[in-house]
Structures are given as structure tokens and as C-alpha cells.
Amino acid sequence: MATPLPTAPPVPAQASLKDTALGALRGVGQVDFQASVWTSLVILAALWAESWETGLFAVIGAVVSTLTARLLAVPRDTLGQGLMTYCGVLGAIAMVVYLGNHPSTYVMAVAAALMCTLVTATLNHLLAPFGLRAFTGPFCLVALVMVLGAPSFERIWHGTPPTAVTPETPRSPVVSWTDLWQGFFANVSQIFFAGTWYVGLIMLVGLFLAGWKVGVFTVVGSVVGLLTAWALGAPAALIGQGIYGYNAVLTSLAFGVVLLRPTVWNYGFTVLAAAASTALTASLSVLFATFGSHTFTWPFNITTWALLAAVPLLPRITARADDS
Amino acid sequence: MATPLPTAPPVPAQASLKDTALGALRGVGQVDFQASVWTSLVILAALWAESWETGLFAVIGAVVSTLTARLLAVPRDTLGQGLMTYCGVLGAIAMVVYLGNHPSTYVMAVAAALMCTLVTATLNHLLAPFGLRAFTGPFCLVALVMVLGAPSFERIWHGTPPTAVTPETPRSPVVSWTDLWQGFFANVSQIFFAGTWYVGLIMLVGLFLAGWKVGVFTVVGSVVGLLTAWALGAPAALIGQGIYGYNAVLTSLAFGVVLLRPTVWNYGFTVLAAAASTALTASLSVLFATFGSHTFTWPFNITTWALLAAVPLLPRITARADDS
Amino acid sequence: MATPLPTAPPVPAQASLKDTALGALRGVGQVDFQASVWTSLVILAALWAESWETGLFAVIGAVVSTLTARLLAVPRDTLGQGLMTYCGVLGAIAMVVYLGNHPSTYVMAVAAALMCTLVTATLNHLLAPFGLRAFTGPFCLVALVMVLGAPSFERIWHGTPPTAVTPETPRSPVVSWTDLWQGFFANVSQIFFAGTWYVGLIMLVGLFLAGWKVGVFTVVGSVVGLLTAWALGAPAALIGQGIYGYNAVLTSLAFGVVLLRPTVWNYGFTVLAAAASTALTASLSVLFATFGSHTFTWPFNITTWALLAAVPLLPRITARADDS
């Protein structure tokens, strides 16, 4: 109480208003591992092109999760790069997709974004000793429990909205040309719960703005996702909606651009990881359907955590030195 | 065989008979984080007031788990504070609640208490590097697998007992005054599977005996649990039985009294954590109902592990220095 | 590109062709923790005696997982002892058991063996800080997700094969003499998905070849499994097929031979662990049946991880010094 200045424990350098605003914006691009402001703006425009609800809830999520981190005195560097924000963006969109656009859903979106920020701190603390990062795991955890619990509460549950229903699709694995090219773009947009091909196209443009390598590994991930799903015989209708490929895009960006050094072996490992995440999508969909939840980006997170944790014992595969 | 004294590895200072007896008693209070002998005695009386089965199985659990720890040479300080005992208390009560009062259930209660002691060592070893503790996780794990497996075994399964059945309740979220005041006390007793309001009242008196702050945060937790469940629209009948609030009481005691320093920000974090554990109760109930298990105190454990692990990366929230 | 020799990071000493071949062979014995070439040969013969599919897929798994490790430059010592191989052996057999003998299953067996090698690196990296090892966890994880996802893919799913169906068995816990002696041997062979008693007998001979202590703890595990399942009242038909005892055999070998020092207390702990793994088998079978997967050797892994992680806090139980 009467201790001399400075008091302990010192709170680290705080983000200014501008840092905070930039962090909120960059959080949109950080879903795809990109801190570029231009990429974030283009992706945000694509979300509004999908629907005004998607765009609005993305903004709510970005603002609330960034402010939560600012209030809790998260250091300026982490905050300003959008690293406490990206899960909140996805978490808030998930609320409107799975609960529908009701007044109570706005409250739930705020709660989801707030919890996403806290759980981002949780996972980064727990995973750091193993050389891993949270990725979109915090969003997956928060969305999992909120979607699972929502139907128990009368004031927030108003029936399953149309956006949350996966329509009965024919099981035929015969892929048409339309399935292929629409799936190629939808693989990029489904990361944000958007299945419209031109939304994916706009996002792909945004990712190329972040660098040619980013764009190329987005393309590689989408193609590997398509090929793997086709080779295994997944339903063509789901392939065309990007359901089987969005995790491959994230996994390809993670290993190809962010996590590993640029070697031929590592690029092979990246393709393998993207294919594995595609196959895992089916397993996790069956698992979550059993108790009434959804796949989200679990396949990407689980594949990337598992294969990245293997790297230290596989001398041929080489991680980047920690420059993050 | 012929090595000179002292032999290696040395077994640490062992608990005397008195230490062991005190450990068994304190284990009752340690369910609520209290080492006070008086608190433990009052809570034990409340358990006998609930029913003689609840009281007897609590005693069996306390004795067996403490003796197990003593046999395995757990150091005197840990043992005498009841820190290897509290999960066994809950584990043994869970057996009579979910298997019914049959001769075989006494054998299962002994097995549950023994395994709770072992798994307490497991979780404390695994969680220590992350700055976390076992809490009641060992009880949750042991009870989960024993309740899940029991119906497969003819000699220990005699049909679902009435105590294990959650009656069909109306889904109405309209809370009556009776729901509220009975729920307020039942939130305290449901920690021990007791839904009777005056059992919770006796326990609350016991908790105030451990210190005014302990009593106050029990009240805070119970009120936050009631308010959160009401605001979300949980079934009023379940609120009145304490089903939605007992995890909030434990979470409030954990953050408000044990884990964090006394600051305004930390008290706010405590209220947030208690509310989160209430909401999580619905999610986990749906999850466990899918494969035939129960919620136990999982919401408290998961919430407390998750939010405590976030603290090192949130400078505004400050943990107590390790004085445990 | 133009850096002088030697380039960094250096790849460790690589396995010769002979090391690699020995690693593939020893991987068969390493399922039971044995590096003995003779034990591996006898177990391999037993697998061919079960059926040519079982034998062939074991060979495919051993070769593919060892070559994967060799390609990824796993150090010679690890590779040559079969420590990157044993999970692939089980993973490939699981594919033919749960998918049936179709051309696509050979592709899946290669994929399973490859992923088993990667996930072995993953788990060994993640568990090392806690003093634990991967055991057969990588096989359990890979088989879990592949069996779960397979029915979603038209090109690899051809209906449930007869080998994957657990027939409706009478629930009677009355054990006949035939159940007992056949179960005694089947407990050894079910580790490899083989329920035939003489396959287990051949394997038991192979395990005695690795040392009398190895044979004795195989016998101890099988007997403890039989007694525990009988005492709890498991269906006699399942006891006779080894369903309730194969995890006890692995757990007994792990604690009795590999992990703990030879003391009376530790042998008691080994028996307790084997009994616990038997009881856990029922819980996990119920859990996995809910969403359409299988028990594999999860009970062994979970029991052994949990109880081994408890050892550092239980001074009476003493682990071997790390000589691995």
C-alpha cells in the first residue's frame, strides 16, 4: 500500500489507441497467419460480401477480443499484431452461424470473444514448453462448449438456424468440374464459415497481397485438400462447398510459410500434413456429430500440433528458429 | 541388500498415527480448500444429516485414501493436510450415489478411494510444470471411468439407483423465490452430491468458521451461479436443486481465496470465472449424457485450470506467490 | 546454398541397411517391449498362424514404418531397436481387421504405418518432460481416427468386415474351464487382434525366449486380467476371447519388467495396475462404442501413463533409473 514507486509487479508497455485499433484489424488476417493490414482489409471486405451478419460479427469479435486483451494489460507487441484477436473473430462469427441472428446472440458473441482472448493466453502458456502455439485452438474450444451448451438455455436458444444445418447431401464421390473449381475457392472461405466461391476468391487475392509465397501455399493447400478428398471418395457435394479442404489450406500455410524452413523435405512434409488434415476432417465430423457439436478448425489444429511436435525427433524436417 | 545405512532412495519423514487421522479428517474440508478441523467436522456432520449412506461413504473414502497415501509413504506434510484425501471422499460418495447401497458398492468405494489417491499424485505431477494443481480432477477422472464401466459388470451393477436419476424437470426458466433461496444453499451442498438446502446451510456455517473471507466467497460463488443460470435461462427446477451453481462456488473459492492476490481486478476475474463455470455446466452435461456419465465437478476443474493457466500471460491478473 | 561443409543442422548417424532390417523385425517384439530377434520371429510366425492377412499386414506395417523413420533420418539407435516400428505393425493389422481385405486397405495400411511413425515422434516429444514414453499410444490415436473416418469415404469403405464385428455374447458371468484356459492364452494374442488360443501360446513361448522374467510377467498379467474380470462379473464369453485381459498383459510387462525396480512394493503396484487396466477396458469400450470406434490398447496406455506419472510423488514405488 505504501510501497515506493515503481510498484511491483510492473505492468509491461501498454498498447496505444492506434496499436489497439491495428491489433483489432490485423486479427482478421491473423486467422490466416498474416499480419498485413491490406490482407486484413480485403478479407474483411470478403466477409461483408458473404453477408452483413458475417461481416458485423467479425467486427464485434475483433473489437471485443482486442479490448479484453488491452484491459488485461497484454503487452503491446502481442496485442498490436492481432495475436490476441484472431480467435475472437472466428468465435463471434460462429455464434451467429450456430445460434442465428437474435438479440441474445450479440451478448453471446461478446462472451465468446472475451473467452477466446483468455483461452488464447491459456493455450499459449500450456503449449510453449513443447514449442507449440495456440493456433485457432482457443476458438475451437470456446465454440465447442458454447454451441454444445446453448440448447440448454431458454434465453439464448431459439432453435437451430438454417446456417447451422448441413443439408443432406448425396454420398456420390463423382466430382464434377463445378465441384472442383467452386471447392477450390470455397476451401479458402470456409475457414470463416463462408461457402461462397467468390468470397474465397477475394480472400485469395488478399492472401497474395501478403506475399507470393503466402498465395502459393494457399493454392497448394486447397489443391491438396481437393485431391485427397477426391482420392478417398468423399461426397462430391461437400468437396464443392469447401467442407473437406479449409483445414488443408490452414495446415499448408502453417507448415509451408510459418513453421518450417524452406527445404524440399519440408515442403513434402507440408503436403503430407495438408492431406492428413483433410482425412482427419471426416473422423472429427463423425465424432462431434455424436454429441451435437461441429468440426470447426479442429482438424487443422490437431494435425499441426501433432506433426509439429514430431519435428524435434525427425532430423530431416527442420523448424524455423524462433523469430516470432 | 547389504548396503550400509542409510539406504537410498530415502523415504521422507512419515506421518504419525495422529497426523494420519488429522489428514483423513481435513480431507473433508479440503474438498472446499479448507484445512480447518472445525470446518471439516461441520461438513462431515452435514453429510450425515443428508443421509447415513452419504456420511458413511465419506468416512470410508477419507480413511481408505489417507491410508493408501500413508502406505505409499507420501510425505507427512501433504498427508496431514488432507491433500491426498479429499478426492477419495468425493469418489466414495459418488459410488453409493451412482451404484446404490449394495455390498459390492463398499468394495467399489474402497477401490475408488485408492485410485483417487494414486491419480492425485498423477495430476499433481503432470500439472506442476504449468503452475496448476490437481483440484478435484482425480475424483472426476476416477468417478467418470467407474460409473461408465460399472454397467458392464454383473457382480457390481444392480440397476440404476434412484439417487442417480435426474428426474424429468420442466424446462421453464421462470425462477420462483423458493428456487432461489433453496438453490442458494443447495449450491454449497451439491459439491458433495447433496441437494438438500439445510445441508448446504450447515456447510456454509462450517465455511464461515474457516474465516470470514472463505464464507464470503462461498456466498459470492453461489450468487454468481444463480444469476448466471437465471440470465441464460436454465431450467428453474435445476437451479433450485443447486445443479447449476455448485461449480461456481468451488471456482469462486479457488480464485477468490486460494489462487489470486486480493486486488479489484482479481476479484472481477473471480466473478467471471464463476460465471463461466456455470455456463460450462450445461455443455458438459450434454457431453457426458451422450455416453452415459455425469458432470461431477468437471466444470469447476476445467474452468479453473483454463483460466489459471491464462494468468501468466495476462499482467493485470496476479497469482499468489507459491506458498503451498 | 554455398555454405562450406559440413552443413548445419547435421543429420545424426544413419542406420545401415542391416540396422533398418533389424529395426523392422524387432518392431514386432517391441509391441511387447522386447528387442529380441528370436522373440520377434516367433511372434511373427504366430501372426501368420492366425491368418495370412494378419501376418502380411504386420510385415507391411513393419517395413513401411521403419522406412519412414529411415527416410526422416531418425537416429540409428532408435531405429535399429524397432522403437519407431512397433506402432506401425499394430496400425497396419488394425486396417485389415476393421476395413477388410480390399485393395484400398493396402493403401490405408501404408498410410497408417507412416502416420504411426510420425505420431510416435510426437508423443515421445510431448511425454518426455513428464518422464513418460509413447507406448502404443501412437497406434491407438492413428487407428482411432482412421477407423472413425473410414465410413465417410466411398473409395475405402466397403462395409463392416466380419473381423470387426463383436458378436452378441451372453452376459452371463459364469466362467467355464474352457473360458479360463483359452482366455489365458488369448490374453496374449489379443494384443495383436488375434483371439485364437494357440496363437497366444506360441507368443508366450516367444516371450519366454526373451527371458524368464518376461515370460513370468506375461503369465502374471494374464492371470490378473482373468481374475479381475471374473471378480467384477464380466461376460464369460468375452473373458474366453481375451477381450478383458490383453491390456493387463501389456501393463504387467510394462511395470513388472521395464519401468519399475524389482521390489515387493513395486510388484504389488504392478498387479494393481494390471487389475486397473482390466476394469478400465469396460469403461473405454462403452465410451468408444458411443461414437463408433474401438478400444484397441487404450486401457493399457492410459493406465500406464496415469500410474507411472504418480510414481514420483509416491516414495514407496521406485522407478528404474533412465537407462533407455
Side-chain angles (χ1 to χ4, degrees):
Chain A
M1 299 299 180
T3 46
L5 293 170
T7 55
V11 164
Q14 288 299 291
S16 66
L17 189 61
K18 188 185 161 202
D19 290 329
T20 309
L22 275 174
L25 181 57
R26 282 180 173 137
V28 178
Q30 284 287 9
V31 171
D32 290 332
F33 302 100
Q34 304 312 318
S36 154
V37 168
W38 295 111
T39 302
S40 294
L41 283 171
V42 172
I43 292 178
L44 196 57
L47 293 172
W48 283 90
E50 169 72 15
S51 75
W52 67 267
E53 285 100 337
T54 305
L56 178 60
F57 275 82
V59 172
I60 293 173
V63 170
V64 171
S65 56
T66 313
L67 287 181
T68 302
R70 178 66 186 76
L71 272 176
L72 295 174
V74 168
R76 176 180 155 170
D77 291 349
T78 307
L79 192 92
Q81 292 298 310
L83 293 173
M84 300 303 276
T85 304
Y86 63 97
C87 285
V89 171
L90 292 176
I93 300 177
M95 291 300 108
V96 73
V97 169
Y98 288 102
L99 304 182
N101 185 1
H102 304 281
S104 61
T105 302
Y106 291 80
V107 181
M108 288 300 106
V110 169
L114 188 156
M115 291 306 299
C116 278
T117 297
L118 301 183
V119 180
T120 299
T122 303
L123 282 192
N124 276 322
H125 174 62
L126 294 180
L127 296 175
F130 305 103
L132 305 177
R133 307 183 200 168
F135 301 129
T136 58
F139 146 66
C140 286
L141 283 169
V142 169
L144 168 67
V145 300
M146 291 186 74
V147 168
L148 202 57
S152 301
F153 296 120
E154 286 286 316
R155 286 191 227 281
I156 62 175
W157 185 245
H158 315 280
T160 307
T163 44
V165 178
T166 308
E168 282 298 312
T169 51
R171 281 184 60 89
S172 162
V174 181
V175 175
S176 71
W177 175 241
T178 309
D179 293 328
L180 270 189
W181 75 259
Q182 293 200 348
F184 172 78
F185 293 116
N187 284 343
V188 182
S189 55
Q190 274 292 358
I191 294 167
F192 293 86
F193 300 98
T196 319
W197 69 268
Y198 57 78
V199 175
L201 173 57
I202 303 173
M203 289 180 178
L204 184 58
V205 171
L207 288 165
F208 267 106
L209 285 181
W212 69 269
K213 195 174 174 185
V214 174
V216 165
F217 274 96
T218 306
V219 169
V220 165
S222 185
V223 169
V224 170
L226 287 177
L227 285 178
T228 309
W230 167 80
L232 290 168
L238 295 180
I239 295 176
Q241 294 164 29
I243 297 295
Y244 267 100
Y246 65 99
N247 286 286
V249 170
L250 285 173
T251 307
S252 173
L253 283 168
F255 282 107
V257 181
V258 180
L259 300 169
L260 301 182
R261 297 181 186 195
T263 75
V264 172
W265 282 98
N266 289 349
Y267 291 150
F269 197 72
T270 300
V271 168
L272 181 73
S277 75
T278 306
L280 189 55
T281 300
S283 316
L284 294 181
S285 299
V286 170
L287 174 65
F288 286 123
T290 305
F291 50 82
S293 192
H294 297 274
T295 307
F296 303 127
T297 52
W298 281 114
F300 150 63
N301 285 296
I302 293 176
T303 304
T304 307
W305 286 330
L307 295 187
L308 184 58
V311 166
L313 301 188
L314 304 173
R316 195 79 77 192
I317 310 301
T318 43
R320 270 177 203 279
D322 264 335
D323 52 357
S324 65
Chain B
M1 300 299 182
T3 46
L5 292 170
T7 55
V11 164
Q14 287 300 290
S16 65
L17 189 62
K18 188 185 162 202
D19 291 329
T20 308
L22 275 174
L25 181 57
R26 283 180 173 137
V28 179
Q30 284 286 9
V31 172
D32 290 332
F33 300 101
Q34 305 312 317
S36 154
V37 169
W38 295 110
T39 302
S40 295
L41 282 171
V42 172
I43 291 177
L44 196 57
L47 293 173
W48 284 90
E50 168 73 14
S51 75
W52 68 266
E53 284 100 338
T54 306
L56 178 58
F57 276 81
V59 172
I60 293 173
V63 170
V64 171
S65 56
T66 314
L67 287 181
T68 302
R70 178 67 187 75
L71 272 176
L72 295 174
V74 168
R76 176 180 155 169
D77 290 349
T78 307
L79 191 91
Q81 292 297 312
L83 293 173
M84 300 304 276
T85 304
Y86 62 96
C87 285
V89 171
L90 292 175
I93 300 176
M95 291 299 108
V96 73
V97 168
Y98 288 102
L99 304 183
N101 185 1
H102 304 281
S104 62
T105 303
Y106 291 80
V107 181
M108 288 299 106
V110 169
L114 188 156
M115 290 307 298
C116 278
T117 297
L118 301 182
V119 179
T120 299
T122 303
L123 283 192
N124 276 322
H125 174 62
L126 295 179
L127 296 174
F130 305 103
L132 305 178
R133 307 183 200 167
F135 302 129
T136 57
F139 146 67
C140 287
L141 283 169
V142 169
L144 168 66
V145 299
M146 291 186 74
V147 168
L148 202 57
S152 301
F153 295 120
E154 286 287 315
R155 287 191 227 282
I156 62 174
W157 185 246
H158 314 281
T160 307
T163 43
V165 179
T166 306
E168 282 298 311
T169 51
R171 280 183 61 90
S172 162
V174 180
V175 175
S176 71
W177 175 242
T178 309
D179 292 328
L180 269 189
W181 74 261
Q182 292 199 349
F184 173 77
F185 293 116
N187 284 344
V188 183
S189 56
Q190 274 292 0
I191 294 167
F192 294 86
F193 300 99
T196 319
W197 69 267
Y198 56 79
V199 174
L201 173 57
I202 303 173
M203 289 179 177
L204 183 58
V205 171
L207 289 164
F208 267 106
L209 285 181
W212 69 270
K213 196 175 174 184
V214 174
V216 165
F217 274 96
T218 306
V219 170
V220 166
S222 185
V223 170
V224 170
L226 286 177
L227 285 178
T228 308
W230 167 79
L232 290 168
L238 294 180
I239 294 176
Q241 293 165 30
I243 298 295
Y244 267 99
Y246 66 99
N247 285 286
V249 169
L250 285 173
T251 307
S252 173
L253 283 168
F255 282 107
V257 181
V258 181
L259 300 170
L260 302 182
R261 296 182 186 196
T263 75
V264 172
W265 281 98
N266 289 348
Y267 291 150
F269 197 72
T270 300
V271 167
L272 180 73
S277 76
T278 306
L280 189 55
T281 300
S283 317
L284 294 181
S285 298
V286 170
L287 174 64
F288 287 124
T290 305
F291 50 82
S293 191
H294 298 274
T295 308
F296 303 127
T297 51
W298 280 114
F300 149 64
N301 284 297
I302 292 175
T303 304
T304 307
W305 285 330
L307 295 187
L308 184 58
V311 167
L313 300 189
L314 305 173
R316 194 79 77 192
I317 310 301
T318 43
R320 272 177 202 279
D322 264 335
D323 51 358
S324 63
Chain C
M1 300 298 179
T3 46
L5 291 170
T7 55
V11 163
Q14 287 299 291
S16 66
L17 189 62
K18 189 186 160 201
D19 291 329
T20 308
L22 275 173
L25 181 56
R26 283 180 173 136
V28 179
Q30 284 286 10
V31 172
D32 290 333
F33 301 100
Q34 305 311 318
S36 155
V37 169
W38 295 111
T39 302
S40 294
L41 282 171
V42 173
I43 292 177
L44 196 56
L47 292 172
W48 283 90
E50 170 72 14
S51 75
W52 68 266
E53 284 100 339
T54 306
L56 178 59
F57 275 82
V59 172
I60 293 173
V63 170
V64 171
S65 55
T66 313
L67 287 180
T68 303
R70 179 67 186 75
L71 272 176
L72 295 174
V74 168
R76 176 180 155 170
D77 290 350
T78 307
L79 192 92
Q81 293 298 309
L83 293 174
M84 299 304 277
T85 305
Y86 62 97
C87 285
V89 171
L90 292 176
I93 301 176
M95 291 301 107
V96 74
V97 169
Y98 288 102
L99 304 182
N101 185 1
H102 304 281
S104 63
T105 303
Y106 291 80
V107 181
M108 288 299 105
V110 169
L114 188 157
M115 290 307 298
C116 278
T117 297
L118 300 182
V119 179
T120 299
T122 303
L123 283 192
N124 276 322
H125 174 62
L126 295 180
L127 295 174
F130 306 103
L132 305 178
R133 307 182 201 169
F135 301 129
T136 57
F139 147 67
C140 287
L141 284 169
V142 169
L144 168 66
V145 300
M146 292 186 74
V147 168
L148 202 58
S152 301
F153 296 119
E154 286 287 314
R155 287 192 227 280
I156 62 173
W157 185 246
H158 315 280
T160 308
T163 43
V165 178
T166 307
E168 283 297 313
T169 52
R171 280 183 61 90
S172 162
V174 180
V175 175
S176 71
W177 175 241
T178 310
D179 293 328
L180 269 190
W181 74 261
Q182 292 199 347
F184 173 78
F185 293 116
N187 284 344
V188 183
S189 56
Q190 274 291 1
I191 295 167
F192 293 86
F193 300 97
T196 319
W197 68 267
Y198 57 78
V199 174
L201 173 57
I202 303 173
M203 289 179 178
L204 183 58
V205 171
L207 288 165
F208 267 106
L209 285 182
W212 69 268
K213 196 175 174 185
V214 174
V216 165
F217 274 96
T218 307
V219 170
V220 166
S222 186
V223 169
V224 170
L226 287 177
L227 286 177
T228 308
W230 166 81
L232 290 168
L238 295 180
I239 295 177
Q241 293 164 29
I243 298 295
Y244 267 100
Y246 66 99
N247 286 286
V249 169
L250 285 173
T251 307
S252 174
L253 282 168
F255 282 107
V257 181
V258 181
L259 300 169
L260 302 181
R261 295 182 187 195
T263 75
V264 173
W265 282 98
N266 288 349
Y267 291 150
F269 198 73
T270 300
V271 168
L272 181 72
S277 75
T278 306
L280 189 56
T281 300
S283 316
L284 294 181
S285 298
V286 171
L287 174 64
F288 286 124
T290 305
F291 51 82
S293 190
H294 297 274
T295 308
F296 302 127
T297 52
W298 281 113
F300 150 65
N301 284 296
I302 292 175
T303 303
T304 306
W305 286 330
L307 295 187
L308 184 58
V311 167
L313 300 189
L314 305 174
R316 194 79 77 191
I317 310 302
T318 44
R320 270 177 205 278
D322 264 335
D323 52 357
S324 64

